Amino acid sequence: MAFPGVVAAVAACALSGTVHGDDGAPVRAHVVAAGTAMNATDSDAHGRFALDLPCGRIRLTVAAPGFASTDVDVEVKNQSRVEVTLESAGSGRLR
């Protein structure tokens, strides 16, 4: 039974990770999570980032100057972790 004005509690989870270039070097990037909620952050000089999100499936979009942006689908559970590798924009590879 639904009660007007009552919002269901959503389990809180955390997603952390690291962004690297295709050469293995850390990359400062903009990280956007879209799913049941949206959140965004930037990775630090070591490529590390962290986001607080509702638990569940999200799409992570990662973009940085000089690299092709990439989307990663992630199932966020409690303390999830993801590694993202960005390809150099001039790599000549077809996606």
Side-chain angles (χ1 to χ4, degrees), residues 4-5 14 25 40 44 54 61 66 78-79 94:
D44 66 15
T61 300
N78 199 11
Q79 299 288 320
L94 297 176

Side-chain angles (χ1 to χ4, degrees), residues 29-72:
H30 189 63
V31 181
V32 178
T36 56
M38 288 192 68
N39 199 349
T41 191
D42 292 320
S43 61
D44 66 15
H46 302 284
R48 297 179 300 227
F49 68 89
L51 292 164
D52 291 323
L53 300 163
C55 299
R57 193 135 187 89
I58 59 111
R59 173 160 288 180
L60 204 62
T61 300
V62 183
F67 294 88
S69 64
T70 191
D71 293 327
V72 180

Side-chain angles (χ1 to χ4, degrees), residues 10-36:
V10 177
C13 287
L15 175 67
S16 63
T18 308
V19 182
H20 290 97
D22 48 11
D23 62 354
V27 174
R28 284 185 181 260
H30 189 63
V31 181
V32 178
T36 56

